[in-house]
Amino acid sequence: MQRKELWIAMALALAGALFWLAFFWEPAETGVGARAPILAQAPTAPAGGDFVLRSPSGPLSLSGYRGKVVLIYFGYTYCPDVCPTSLASIAQALSALTAAELAQVGGLFISLDPERDTMEALHAYAPFFHPAIIGMTGSPEQIAQVARQYGVRYMKRNSGGGAPYTIDHSTSIYVVARDGKLAAILPGDSTPQSLVGTLRELLAGAG
Amino acid sequence: MRSIVLISAAALLVGTALPLAAAESAITVSDPYVRLLPPGATTSAAYLLMKNSGAADRKLVKADSPVAQSIEVHEHRTDNGVMKMREVGSILIKAHAQTELKPGGYHLMLIGVKRPLAEGDSVAITLTFDDGSKQPIAALVRKVQTDMPAGMVMDHGAMKH
């Protein structure tokens, strides 16, 4: 008799569990599925490639650097912390090169803030870190196009309280080889030593 | 009996010593500096190290300086490769611990810098903590560099010759 009651209890529990599974259980896959479009947009290797933007000495193209290794950083001059940190690291790497090496290397600082960053401001800003770094800007559409090519994401953010807006942005350092192809994407907090290592590796390569 | 008296005495001592210690700020600020930026730049950042020798957690809640229209207490966080700078209400300095404001992390963002800051200038900043205490500091303007062992890069170059 006792055994029979036990069976009934177990059957009821099983039925309850099945009922719950059938009507209330939402498998985790539903959540992943809902996010799938975002995952599909996850950046694969960006193509990089040529572009023409304004520089203090007129229009400047990346292809004009053919034969040189180029470091590119995207940022904005109102950026108080992250951009200067990366630019200082790039500057130290450039300073550590021999004169012969430096002659084969270029640095570009591309503004993600074409509205506020005037050519004059960029010209004061970029070479301040190292004379080989050139500030560049363009129309918002041109900047967006170059950012797309290199997989750079950026978004204006109003901080409120009358403070100037800031820009959330990718902080990678993009390294272009002598043939104009995007060769490496390095973290924005790369040490000068590691940048020098990458530069020398690419300088030693076919040119 | 004697031990009870001793314990009471000790408790009394601790009880009276604590308020005395609290009256003096338990926060020691060291190596405050402001990042040297190009002439014309109107935003910069200040960094410092705060040590809390007290028994209570403390929070930095505000900073002011006569050279900037305002100062915001910021942090950085990386979200899927995108660096996001956000204002935070406060920065915690745990009891008997320290918190560092440094490049790429917590920093004081100087907004609307009123005059050009040259290397070596001293910037007066007043820090306000959650207990209402204020601490004036003098931050030196300096060029921020990443630490690089002097020999390393040279050696690397020398190997190639």
Side-chain angles (χ1 to χ4, degrees), chain A residues 5-25:
Chain A
E5 277 171 5
L6 194 66
W7 276 115
I8 290 170
M10 278 174 75
L12 275 173
L14 190 66
L18 281 171
F19 184 82
W20 178 84
L21 271 175
F23 292 97
F24 296 103
W25 185 51

Side-chain angles (χ1 to χ4, degrees), chain A:
Chain A
M1 191 64 192
Q2 268 196 352
R3 177 169 287 185
K4 193 176 182 184
E5 277 171 5
L6 194 66
W7 276 115
I8 290 170
M10 278 174 75
L12 275 173
L14 190 66
L18 281 171
F19 184 82
W20 178 84
L21 271 175
F23 292 97
F24 296 103
W25 185 51
E26 292 212 22
E29 280 79 355
T30 309
V32 173
R35 287 213 311 273
I38 296 168
L39 290 172
Q41 286 170 16
T44 47
D50 195 26
F51 54 82
V52 183
L53 290 172
R54 286 194 293 126
S55 81
S57 51
L60 190 68
S61 67
L62 179 67
S63 54
Y65 281 89
R66 199 60 51 86
K68 293 186 177 188
V69 177
V70 185
L71 295 177
I72 306 176
Y73 187 80
F74 294 81
Y76 63 114
T77 72
Y78 280 68
C79 179
D81 182 53
V82 164
C83 307
T85 302
S86 295
L87 287 169
S89 197
I90 291 172
Q92 276 176 274
L94 297 177
S95 299
L97 298 176
T98 65
E101 286 170 330
L102 185 59
Q104 303 173 67
V105 172
L108 300 176
F109 176 70
I110 298 177
S111 172
L112 293 174
D113 191 5
E115 291 171 46
R116 272 188 314 196
D117 283 344
T118 61
M119 200 72 257
E120 194 185 10
L122 283 164
H123 191 36
Y125 192 84
F128 165 84
F129 294 93
H130 192 284
I133 306 176
I134 294 172
M136 299 184 92
T137 188
S139 68
E141 293 76 26
Q142 287 174 311
I143 297 293
Q145 172 58 33
V146 179
R148 259 198 304 278
Q149 278 172 243
Y150 284 82
V152 173
R153 284 168 299 151
Y154 60 110
M155 187 183 286
K156 203 190 281 188
R157 184 178 165 86
N158 286 307
S159 41
Y165 64 83
T166 60
I167 295 176
D168 295 341
H169 62 99
S170 307
T171 54
S172 303
I173 298 168
Y174 299 83
V175 192
V176 176
R178 291 179 194 266
D179 60 2
K181 292 202 174 105
L182 179 57
I185 302 175
L186 305 174
D189 60 356
S190 296
T191 61
Q193 299 93 292
S194 74
L195 293 177
V196 167
T198 303
L199 285 173
R200 289 201 165 129
E201 212 172 287
L202 288 170
L203 285 173

